[in-house]
Amino acid sequence: MTDVMAAGLGRMNNGGQRPRADPSAHATGVMSTKYHPREIEARWSAQWAEQELYEFQEHAARPKFYWLTMLPYPSGDLHIGHWYAMAPSDAGARFKRMNGYNVFFPIGFDAFGLPAENAAIKNNTHPKIWTYANIERMRRQLRSMGTMFAWKNEIISCDPDYYKWSQWTFLKFLERGIAYREHAPVDFCPSCNTTLAREQVIGEERVCERCETPVIKKALNQWKYRITDYAEQLLKFEDIEWPEAVRTMQTNWIGRSEGVEFDLAVDGRPGQTLRVFTTRPDTIFGLTFCVLSPEHPLVREVTTPAQRGAVEAYQAAAERKSEIERMADTQEQDGVFTGAYALHPLTGANVPIWIADYVLMGYGTGAIMAVPAHDTRDYAFALRYRLPVPPVIRPVGSAGANGEGLELPYTAKEGSEMCNSGRFDGLAWPRSFEAVVKELERRGIGERKVNYRLRDWLISRQRMWGTPIPVIYCKTCGMVPVPYEHLPVRLPDDAVFKPTGESPLKYHKAFLHVDCPCCGGPAERETDTMDTFICSSWYMYAYLSPYWKKGQRITADDVPWNRGVVDPWLPIDQYTGGIEHAILHLMYLRFYAMALADVGVMPPKAPVRRLFNQGMILGEDNEKMSKSRGNVVNPDALVRDYGADTVRAYLMFIGPWDQGGPWNPKGIEGMARFMNDVWYLGTPVEAEAAPAQDAEAARQLTGALHQTLAKVSEDYLAFKYNTLLAALMSFRNQLKAARPTLQGTPAWNTAIDGLLLMLAPVAPFITEELWQRRRPGESIHLQPWPRHDPALARTDAVTMVIQINGKFRDRMEVSPDVKAEEMQTLALERPKVQEALANRTVRKVIPVGNKLVNIVVQ
RNA sequence: GCGAGAAUGGCGGAAUGGGCAGACGCGCCAGACUUAGGAUCUGGUACCGAAAGGUGUGGGGGUUCGAAUCCCCCUUCUCGCACCA
């Protein structure tokens, strides 16, 4: 522990000890002023805010473009991860704006959540105070980043005028049957003291998404949203350009599988049936036993007295097992015989009914037909308890007519055919599936069924700092929704925070006790609050008319935003954010849009057209940044040393944005040098000697400008900031080389303007400063993107490569319009080529465009 | 186990409708200017070799005049899911 800390501190000291005393220091050249990023950045931040340069313009002649970055949680300080997420997003939005779009780029705070409550307990203050103090600090930091946020449209999700509408969505969903309350076993985090949605339980170890504590099961009365009703819709990704990875993850999470559900009669119990789900009806003749989940209600009914003791012991053990940590490596299939038998639906054979915890109550019917020859789990189970394992499918055309010699378990679908299955023998997949399903349907004991892995969204949280669920429980009237006119159900400002692990709302008398809206009698409020993912499921619409009907009494007919503004601005044209939200936020957001469309407040179209997921910025050690590792990079310190422009640009230069990558503390020096060069190149020079006329050099510089422009414009659209910056650096190198001959000429000035314009989205401060020094009073951020002229980008000579048998031999300059025959002649004339061709016969010469000739010999 | 993606110098990475591998930057080496250099400027920097030349994009095959790029097999790594019937 001590070692780790010492190492961590050492690293931090090292990282912080090299402030650049004067980052603008460079020796040569005529200098008017030095580059002082801190001074110019402070000045421009203030000025842009004052001029409202970036605020929302509902109507404009330019086409609308809704550019969105995921809203941050106000944790207190802006982390380098926030910079990595937001600075490139901002650059993209700025680029769109320069390209003639009316860009809306809002920001807000996802302000409910547990850290505020923990801080409240620790400091004995209200979470609201902690949260708003953090927001104030983060607003300043976000401004220092140079982002073009439309601050006037900011929303804060813990504001009652926001969560009033979150409550409204709950009431509407309740009316439509999308919200419901259920008593069932749910995932509970003993550290956060609250239940969690299935999506918030991570991995095999089943740990809490927030604190990594293993979750336990608890049976509780909880509110849920019927997201499973939208499973089919959620599987469709029409009209949206989302990364393949996200679509695959969501598709897998939803986990659609097609199969059949059918009944088996229980032997000796007329009328008693056992329902199972299977995706492999083609293997039904291999059914040699059934397995019930230990929690299955039928277990009590069918268990014979002789087996009762063993069965109950197993049930108790299974229950305990799900409450204790689930060990990864103990996936053994064990179970207990109930003593009862079911009848095979097609053969009438007796098959024993077992219970085993590898069958889950929450999936399908909680009961399975076991076909040990063709399912790995059933196979393991059968081996363990010496149950028969008859093969009933085999690879098409395989030798053994009845599957003899088949390696078991054989689980393939494609290329399999039925055997040992009476009149079904020889039927190949997928006809085998169809035939058995038809037979079960004909007998009236089963039907096709689609099952999903997706569960309904559990939204109740036993925490205080969240949106109160607007329902009241009355002894006489039962559950009563809070009338719309009474919204919002406000969180009390005087709740007492104690480390009891329970929500202070339960002990807040004024909050808890309420008159029933129905009968006027004494009643109690729901004290659970909503999952904070609800706040972030609709904030993108709220941005367009923030705190709609603020302070006003609302009715059932109101909608949560101004549709006149919101409808024309949908969908969100570009959304950017971390891949870690691939399932949670990005699936909930789609669900919310679908459900709200059903409620009738939104057009039924995809809410987010284009999505981009950035990668994660890692510590110097290539590990995830964390305080315990001591590899956290502090953006404020970097801004102090290098300026925001350099930090922004360096983060974009590290590598492809979607890839993320480790922080290299030395690497930023290169970007600082680049900014210094830009400063030096872009600062107007007074009274220079009359520039020499060098038409050829001027043409070359103009060519370089337009080549760079083509590359940079293309890269902005594809979020390829790293290569865009590399192109700008190359251009910088060319400018430095051309400076002695061209500085002050029209070609030079155009090139410098181009450099500043192309860099403006990435580095808004330095470009604004230099632009306005050249043209006082004009913001660079209101300039149109420079037009690319392919004619000017054209060079008058291209390099042609000469290969012999595909190997590089020589290169030469040729005209861009060179003809194929000419290329061949030129290539064969080269001395190096002649030399290499001595005593060899040329068989073929292959010219490629105007860039390469391959000579094939012998 | 299933699904998705990746593997290129000392490092981050460029180049994939096949056509000069290593753009750009970091680091490193040498030099210049300097009292000084962790500033700036100039040159160099994939590997082997004195050179000519040869070899190189995780490994092995293949297609092609030509492969980092396309096809097949394998290895390793990252991410997601995981007793889902």
Side-chain angles (χ1 to χ4, degrees):
Chain A
M1 184 65 194
T2 330
D3 286 352
V4 169
M5 287 188 67
L9 286 170
R11 212 172 292 130
M12 284 178 77
N13 287 340
N14 210 12
Q17 93 181 11
R18 301 186 55 231
R20 299 162 61 85
D22 178 8
S24 68
H26 51 80
T28 54
V30 184
M31 289 277 311
S32 47
T33 48
K34 288 178 175 177
Y35 176 41
H36 290 297
R38 262 202 287 175
E39 188 268 315
I40 63 169
E41 288 175 5
R43 185 150 42 79
W44 287 115
S45 295
Q47 200 157 321
W48 293 335
E50 193 190 315
Q51 293 172 343
E52 302 185 355
L53 195 62
Y54 306 122
E55 294 301 342
F56 178 46
Q57 287 181 278
E58 187 190 340
H59 301 290
R62 299 163 294 154
K64 72 98 183 173
F65 201 97
Y66 190 168
W67 190 293
L68 184 66
T69 180
M70 289 181 187
L71 90 173
Y73 177 78
S75 53
D77 275 302
L78 220 54
H79 183 260
I80 195 80
H82 290 115
W83 280 72
Y84 194 68
M86 291 179 180
S89 192
D90 179 65
R94 286 176 176 278
F95 175 74
K96 269 287 169 197
R97 187 174 137 119
M98 289 177 84
N99 276 274
Y101 290 89
N102 179 21
V103 177
F104 178 47
F105 185 47
I107 189 71
F109 295 95
D110 186 17
F112 273 134
L114 205 47
E117 211 166 329
N118 292 338
I121 294 164
K122 200 171 150 196
N123 310 324
N124 198 26
T125 54
H126 195 279
K128 191 162 138 184
I129 295 166
W130 184 85
T131 302
Y132 276 88
N134 286 352
I135 288 173
E136 197 46 49
R137 189 154 65 245
M138 286 177 77
R139 278 183 184 137
R140 261 203 321 276
Q141 292 171 320
L142 285 166
R143 277 222 160 88
S144 81
M145 196 193 281
T147 45
M148 54 166 254
F149 289 128
W151 282 104
K152 290 196 164 177
N153 289 61
E154 178 200 64
I155 60 110
I156 298 172
S157 67
C158 66
D159 187 308
D161 282 301
Y162 182 81
Y163 68 69
K164 163 171 90 185
W165 294 112
S166 297
Q167 291 172 340
W168 180 96
T169 63
F170 175 89
L171 292 178
K172 287 289 171 186
F173 289 176
L174 187 60
E175 280 166 21
R176 284 193 69 92
I178 299 169
Y180 66 100
R181 195 164 183 247
E182 185 185 46
H183 184 85
V186 292
D187 296 305
F188 185 89
C189 173
S191 167
C192 297
N193 276 303
T194 182
T195 53
L196 300 172
R198 177 65 190 85
E199 287 78 19
Q200 290 171 299
V201 179
I202 308 297
E204 203 165 16
E205 287 80 31
R206 295 180 49 77
V207 299
C208 169
E209 173 242 350
R210 171 173 297 283
C211 67
E212 298 186 357
T213 306
V215 302
I216 60 174
K217 286 276 180 194
K218 263 194 178 182
L220 288 170
N221 252 317
Q222 297 281 281
W223 284 98
K224 292 180 180 177
Y225 280 168
R226 262 184 233 287
I227 190 170
T228 51
D229 280 1
Y230 293 83
E232 285 302 320
Q233 268 194 77
L234 287 166
L235 285 168
K236 293 195 188 102
F237 292 88
E238 281 157 21
D239 305 320
I240 60 179
E241 294 170 47
W242 284 26
E244 186 66 40
V246 173
R247 302 202 318 238
T248 313
M249 274 193 247
Q250 292 199 1
T251 303
N252 292 344
W253 185 263
I254 294 163
R256 183 182 199 275
S257 66
E258 276 181 46
V260 56
E261 246 182 52
F262 64 90
D263 291 316
L264 293 101
V266 179
D267 189 27
R269 292 177 161 265
Q272 182 75 272
T273 56
L274 158 61
R275 197 164 183 81
V276 298
F277 171 74
T278 182
T279 56
R280 298 302 302 272
D282 58 315
T283 65
I284 195 167
F285 286 88
L287 157 54
T288 52
F289 59 102
C290 282
V291 186
L292 300 179
S293 155
E295 308 94 66
H296 199 290
L298 209 60
V299 176
R300 269 182 56 190
E301 295 178 40
V302 302
T303 303
T304 57
Q307 290 299 102
R308 179 141 292 145
V311 165
E312 282 175 0
Y314 186 82
Q315 284 179 312
E319 197 182 336
R320 208 165 41 242
K321 201 161 151 189
S322 61
E323 282 188 15
I324 309 169
E325 228 176 301
R326 284 221 189 171
M327 296 310 290
D329 50 3
T330 58
Q331 288 192 1
E332 281 182 24
Q333 272 74 35
D334 66 349
V336 172
F337 180 44
T338 61
Y341 290 85
L343 300 175
H344 192 290
L346 300 186
T347 68
N350 261 329
V351 293
I353 302 173
W354 288 65
I355 65 168
D357 66 0
Y358 79 90
V359 176
L360 309 172
M361 197 55 222
Y363 187 80
T365 61
I368 61 158
M369 69 167 200
V371 182
H374 308 297
D375 180 282
T376 47
R377 296 147 304 173
D378 298 346
Y379 183 76
F381 194 86
L383 282 195
R384 184 172 180 136
Y385 297 105
R386 298 173 198 288
L387 295 159
V389 187
V392 294
I393 56 167
R394 55 173 198 164
V396 172
S398 63
N402 293 317
E404 296 91 347
L406 190 61
E407 193 185 320
L408 298 179
Y410 169 66
T411 59
K413 287 179 180 176
E414 297 302 324
S416 75
E417 65 178 7
M418 293 174 76
C419 60
N420 277 334
S421 302
R423 67 180 177 85
F424 294 92
D425 281 359
L427 279 174
W429 182 269
R431 284 179 53 218
S432 51
F433 178 102
E434 296 298 326
V436 175
V437 171
K438 278 213 180 75
E439 178 61 21
L440 292 169
E441 282 172 346
R442 195 185 63 76
R443 294 182 181 220
I445 52 169
E447 63 278 321
R448 279 160 203 286
K449 182 81 199 277
V450 176
N451 247 303
Y452 302 94
R453 212 185 68 100
L454 180 71
R455 305 297 159 78
D456 278 340
W457 178 9
L458 193 159
I459 63 155
S460 298
R461 297 291 179 274
Q462 293 71 54
R463 306 302 318 177
M464 183 271 183
W465 192 233
T467 305
I469 295 174
V471 297
I472 289 165
Y473 303 103
C474 168
K475 285 220 169 62
T476 24
C477 310
M479 192 278 291
V480 182
V482 172
Y484 289 92
E485 291 74 13
H486 293 183
L487 296 184
V489 176
R490 284 175 185 273
L491 288 171
D493 284 336
D494 56 352
V496 180
F497 290 86
K498 285 183 183 151
T500 58
E502 282 194 291
S503 169
L505 292 180
K506 288 171 87 169
Y507 304 98
H508 194 282
K509 292 201 167 67
F511 178 86
L512 185 66
H513 299 296
V514 63
D515 295 339
C516 171
C518 268
C519 66
E524 287 190 356
R525 286 194 190 279
E526 167 71 66
T527 56
D528 281 356
T529 55
M530 298 181 201
D531 184 356
T532 54
F533 277 106
I534 286 175
C535 312
S536 55
S537 291
W538 68 278
Y539 75 102
M540 53 291 288
Y541 321 120
Y543 274 150
L544 287 155
S545 58
Y547 308 125
W548 180 237
K549 305 223 165 176
K550 186 177 171 68
Q552 292 176 36
R553 183 185 164 99
I554 58 169
T555 71
D557 298 328
D558 279 312
V559 297
W561 53 75
N562 182 348
R563 288 198 71 173
V565 182
V566 174
D567 282 9
W569 271 84
L570 290 182
I572 290 144
D573 297 283
Q574 178 68 60
Y575 197 17
T576 71
I579 187 75
E580 66 273 19
H581 292 111
I583 293 171
L584 285 154
H585 167 59
L586 290 170
M587 193 175 66
Y588 293 150
L589 140 70
R590 294 179 64 219
F591 157 69
Y592 237 76
M594 290 165 189
L596 287 171
D598 283 354
V599 164
V601 296
M602 280 181 71
K605 59 182 180 184
V608 176
R609 182 172 293 147
R610 208 165 161 229
L611 172 73
F612 187 92
N613 295 113
Q614 81 271 358
M616 202 190 295
I617 184 86
L618 302 171
E620 215 181 311
D621 50 4
N622 214 3
E623 298 283 339
K624 205 171 160 177
M625 282 188 202
S626 72
K627 279 182 193 157
S628 56
R629 283 201 187 89
N631 60 354
V632 174
V633 174
N634 177 1
D636 288 351
L638 291 166
V639 171
R640 193 188 59 226
D641 294 347
Y642 297 101
D645 282 334
T646 298
V647 178
R648 285 170 61 108
Y650 180 58
L651 286 168
M652 293 183 226
F653 183 67
I654 280 176
W657 192 28
D658 55 353
Q659 206 175 290
W663 176 261
N664 175 354
K666 284 273 171 55
I668 195 170
E669 296 284 348
M671 194 52 73
R673 281 176 206 142
F674 173 68
M675 290 299 167
N676 265 316
D677 286 340
V678 169
W679 180 265
Y680 165 54
L681 291 165
T683 302
V685 195
E686 295 141 40
E688 278 280 287
Q693 294 299 313
D694 188 337
E696 176 52 29
R699 207 168 70 227
Q700 273 184 21
L701 185 66
T702 305
L705 168 67
H706 283 270
Q707 286 155 25
T708 308
L709 187 52
K711 170 75 179 156
V712 169
S713 306
E714 203 181 294
D715 283 357
Y716 266 118
L717 285 173
F719 301 103
K720 288 163 79 174
Y721 300 112
N722 56 329
T723 50
L724 163 173
L725 278 158
L728 288 177
M729 285 175 165
S730 283
F731 189 47
R732 169 268 315 255
N733 293 342
Q734 286 166 295
L735 282 164
K736 282 173 82 173
R739 192 184 141 269
T741 44
L742 292 176
Q743 189 168 43
T745 63
W748 174 265
N749 288 331
T750 307
I752 297 297
D753 283 353
L755 175 69
L756 296 179
L757 289 164
M758 288 188 284
L759 184 62
V762 170
F765 293 111
I766 189 174
T767 52
E768 178 78 315
E769 174 70 21
L770 293 172
W771 188 265
Q772 298 221 21
R773 284 183 180 212
R774 297 160 72 81
R775 292 175 183 73
E778 266 184 51
S779 173
I780 194 170
H781 303 301
L782 295 173
Q783 303 306 314
W785 189 251
R787 258 177 49 94
H788 167 241
D789 186 342
L792 293 175
R794 224 179 95 98
T795 48
D796 37 36
V798 293
T799 306
M800 179 178 85
V801 165
I802 303 158
Q803 296 181 335
I804 293 174
N805 285 348
K807 279 192 176 163
F808 172 87
R809 282 297 158 207
D810 198 8
R811 84 182 89 219
M812 64 186 294
E813 296 291 301
V814 296
S815 148
D817 308 312
V818 67
K819 297 265 183 327
E821 311 87 72
E822 201 182 338
M823 285 166 67
Q824 299 189 14
T825 322
L826 287 169
L828 290 166
E829 279 168 2
R830 301 288 288 182
K832 274 194 183 176
V833 174
Q834 294 277 329
E835 196 183 321
L837 289 183
N839 305 324
R840 301 169 96 180
T841 332
V842 175
R843 274 188 22 202
K844 215 197 288 184
V845 182
I846 299 162
V848 184
N850 60 4
K851 59 183 175 183
L852 183 138
V853 173
N854 189 17
I855 302 165
V856 187
V857 295
Q858 272 157 4

